[in-house]
Amino acid sequence: MSELVLQGTGVGRRAVIGPVAVVRGAVEAAPDAPVLRDGAPVAQEDLPEVIAQSFATVTQNLKDQAAGAQGSLAAVLGAAAQIAADPALVAKSKANLGKGLAPVEAIDSAVDEFVKLFTQLGGMMAERVTDLKSVRDRVIAELLEQPVPGVPVLSEPSIIVAEDLAPADTAALDLSKVLAIVTELGGPTGHTAIIAGQLGLPCLVQVRGVLDVDEGTVVAVDAATGRVTVDPNEELRAAIAAKAELERQLESDSEPGSTKDGHTIDLLANIGTAADAKRAAAYTDGHVVAGSGLFRTEVLFLDSSNAPSVEAQAKEYRAVLEAFEGRKVVVRTLDAGADKPLAFATQPDEENPALGVRGYRSARLHPQLLEDQLEALAQAARDTGSFPWVMAPMIATVTEARDFAAAARRHGLSKVGVMIEVPAAALRARQILAEVDFVSIGSNDLAQYTMATDRLRGELSDLLDAWQPAILDLIAATATAGQESGKPVGVCGESASDPLMALVLTGLGVTSLSMSAGAVPAVRFALRHHTLEQCRQMAQAVLAAATPHEAKNAVVELLVPEVRAALVS
């Protein structure tokens, strides 16, 4: 395996070196494997209850892990527990028993039906296939009284390698000994990538062949380049050590975000829970981030079997506002629907969930959800004396923007905006900005809808490249509309975390950038070494490019030497 380089899609910018630790696979059991208790086969009539108890045990274990986790990790663990607790899954397994299938085969067949359904639905539902398979493996292990599959016990800091990593597996990690996560499957916006970003770990997905690397083999993982290098040489080791030292130096700088000539850019953190808010607000003594540019409130909803009350929501929102102590907090209303199912508001099956009832559109069927959320946020604002910004996702028309703004203002929320994620909204940004106070560009979904490409499909990541000219044209049009109207235009998708793209976005007229807190130092470093005029020159060069490669190279050519040496791999 010497000098082998494997290519994938990186999440983050960090690079590390360490030994490989491979996640254990599922229990290898024959479909007709006997179920034993105290060494004796379980009677046929008792098998349905034993299967039900196995599901219940796995559900409780997942809930316990969720209770011991924080932030986004706790939310996705709760979602896995919800899958294990699904009565339809248990009922289907029992029904398969009644058809004459053996216990292991009955469970496997039941889960397989749900896997096919989720895969057909696509989007976030397809992303939960990993959780389904993890639940199946855990239930079968429990049924056969075998060790739970998952990660090995780590005796030293290691790089976790897996086909894909379920949230339940991540919960079992000793994070003090995890250097990075590398998977053969998955997408850059899947559970693994989200959790890795939350924990500040470099992560690579879609790394074909990584499971062929032997346990214990030393590899170098570079999220910025998306490369895994087996048995790295001394030159690469030295380069990664230098990169790590640079990261430490960048983190020690806590000045506000601005260009070299003093043009201010708000550098903000993306969060999902109050726990995320506390970590981001405390990052480097609270001086690195100017607040939150994206509070994903659906995390509170996705782990609930019933719609959270106004009081429960207000409590969570108060905690977030208090964590940032008067700093800017942009709250996105519920971004859920067909591709992010809610137990209490599940939509009928849709042929194409990504184009269905999601985001602000869910208010068409469940208007009270939006009204309760706005009231809860208004209560939290009054209780804390804060002035949160609120925005709606998946806005496509001027009428939708106008209706949302009216609803938010009825509840006393004074700073109202919308997300620009649909090309139609970007094309009509000038008219939309006439109805609201600000807009925020969700570059992940904007790329998906512009390029007609599912953003969870790792093999199509080239089409979703943030440097695609068509995507940048829409961002430029939105930023121009913001400048003409004198209203803020932010970016809260993955584009904001790329320090080179941050220069371009600033040159286009974007006024704030929101990202994971760990990405802020490199972005701030790039901005502080270039003037606003240099950023504008980069923006014009990018808009004139014909391909993503040409666009990025145009920016690299215009970088000052210090930034090129520090940030270009």
Side-chain angles (χ1 to χ4, degrees), residues 217-532:
T217 301
V218 174
V219 301
V221 174
D222 191 334
T225 62
R227 289 196 293 261
V228 175
T229 304
V230 179
D231 294 326
N233 58 31
E234 290 304 316
E235 182 180 0
L236 181 55
R237 288 172 181 265
I240 288 179
K243 189 172 183 177
E245 177 57 30
L246 173 63
E247 291 286 344
R248 285 190 287 270
Q249 292 176 9
L250 295 183
E251 288 179 355
S252 67
D253 183 354
S254 60
E255 291 297 317
S258 66
T259 59
K260 185 176 181 179
D261 52 340
H263 177 72
T264 301
I265 301 292
D266 281 343
L267 301 183
L268 308 160
N270 293 340
I271 62 171
T273 65
D276 291 345
K278 291 174 184 176
R279 277 189 296 273
Y283 190 64
T284 314
D285 296 326
H287 299 297
V288 168
V289 297
S292 173
L294 175 62
F295 174 17
R296 302 182 179 98
T297 58
E298 63 269 11
V299 173
L300 175 63
F301 289 78
L302 292 173
D303 196 27
S304 301
S305 56
N306 298 298
S309 66
V310 171
E311 292 71 24
Q313 292 185 60
K315 179 180 179 182
E316 184 83 359
Y317 304 155
R318 276 196 301 271
V320 169
L321 296 175
E322 288 169 350
F324 284 108
E325 299 179 313
R327 281 179 273 174
K328 179 179 178 180
V329 176
V330 183
V331 182
R332 184 177 69 187
T333 57
L334 184 62
D335 187 16
D339 65 338
K340 296 179 185 176
L342 298 175
F344 49 87
T346 302
Q347 306 302 327
D349 290 345
E350 294 179 287
E351 292 184 5
N352 194 334
L355 302 179
V357 183
R358 56 167 300 195
Y360 177 68
R361 300 171 184 180
S362 63
R364 298 184 182 199
L365 300 182
H366 303 281
Q368 197 58 45
L369 286 178
L370 179 61
E371 291 297 321
D372 286 353
Q373 187 170 24
L374 293 174
E375 177 55 31
L377 182 58
Q379 283 188 21
R382 290 192 295 268
D383 293 344
T384 59
S386 302
F387 297 91
W389 298 31
V390 60
M391 62 182 180
M394 286 298 292
I395 292 293
T397 69
V398 174
T399 299
E400 288 179 335
R402 181 185 302 124
D403 290 347
F404 174 74
R409 288 166 181 152
R410 279 199 307 272
H411 287 272
L413 297 165
S414 58
K415 202 72 170 179
V416 185
V418 299
M419 294 283 289
I420 302 294
E421 302 166 285
V422 181
L427 292 170
R428 303 296 288 180
R430 184 175 292 100
Q431 290 78 7
I432 285 176
L433 277 163
E435 304 294 337
V436 298
D437 303 307
F438 71 96
V439 297
S440 184
I441 300 169
S443 59
N444 299 342
D445 268 327
L446 183 60
Q448 171 175 241
Y449 293 122
T450 301
M451 305 304 293
T453 303
D454 188 340
R455 66 188 181 96
L456 299 179
R457 302 294 299 187
E459 65 270 29
L460 298 177
S461 58
D462 61 308
L463 295 176
L464 296 173
D465 192 323
W467 298 89
Q468 284 283 0
I471 300 170
L472 290 167
D473 282 346
L474 292 174
I475 292 175
T478 305
T480 297
Q483 290 178 311
E484 291 176 352
S485 64
K487 294 180 179 180
V489 174
V491 173
C492 59
E494 287 302 311
S495 293
S497 64
D498 180 343
L500 303 192
M501 181 60 76
L503 297 172
V504 173
L505 296 174
T506 299
L508 290 174
V510 168
T511 57
S512 66
L513 301 168
S514 192
M515 63 205 82
S516 64
V520 170
V523 169
R524 185 182 56 242
F525 174 78
L527 287 170
R528 289 257 299 278
H529 283 78
H530 296 88
T531 65
L532 178 58

Side-chain angles (χ1 to χ4, degrees), residues 120-275:
Q120 290 171 353
L121 289 173
M124 291 295 290
M125 291 297 285
E127 196 68 30
R128 299 186 84 183
V129 165
T130 300
D131 294 334
L132 268 169
K133 292 180 178 179
S134 175
V135 166
R136 175 200 60 198
D137 296 342
R138 289 167 179 269
V139 170
I140 290 176
E142 178 66 28
L143 182 73
L144 300 180
E145 297 184 317
Q146 297 294 316
V148 177
V151 299
V153 176
L154 302 178
S155 59
E156 60 181 323
S158 304
I159 291 168
I160 300 299
V161 170
E163 180 180 47
D164 206 349
L165 202 60
D169 296 323
T170 309
L173 293 172
D174 178 357
L175 295 176
S176 66
K177 295 179 180 177
V178 178
L179 298 173
I181 297 174
V182 181
T183 65
E184 194 166 54
L185 303 179
T189 57
H191 280 154
T192 301
I194 291 171
I195 292 169
Q198 174 190 331
L199 300 173
L201 297 172
C203 176
L204 270 67
V205 298
Q206 290 285 318
V207 184
R208 302 295 180 180
V210 71
L211 290 175
D212 296 330
V213 179
D214 293 334
E215 184 99 18
T217 301
V218 174
V219 301
V221 174
D222 191 334
T225 62
R227 289 196 293 261
V228 175
T229 304
V230 179
D231 294 326
N233 58 31
E234 290 304 316
E235 182 180 0
L236 181 55
R237 288 172 181 265
I240 288 179
K243 189 172 183 177
E245 177 57 30
L246 173 63
E247 291 286 344
R248 285 190 287 270
Q249 292 176 9
L250 295 183
E251 288 179 355
S252 67
D253 183 354
S254 60
E255 291 297 317
S258 66
T259 59
K260 185 176 181 179
D261 52 340
H263 177 72
T264 301
I265 301 292
D266 281 343
L267 301 183
L268 308 160
N270 293 340
I271 62 171
T273 65

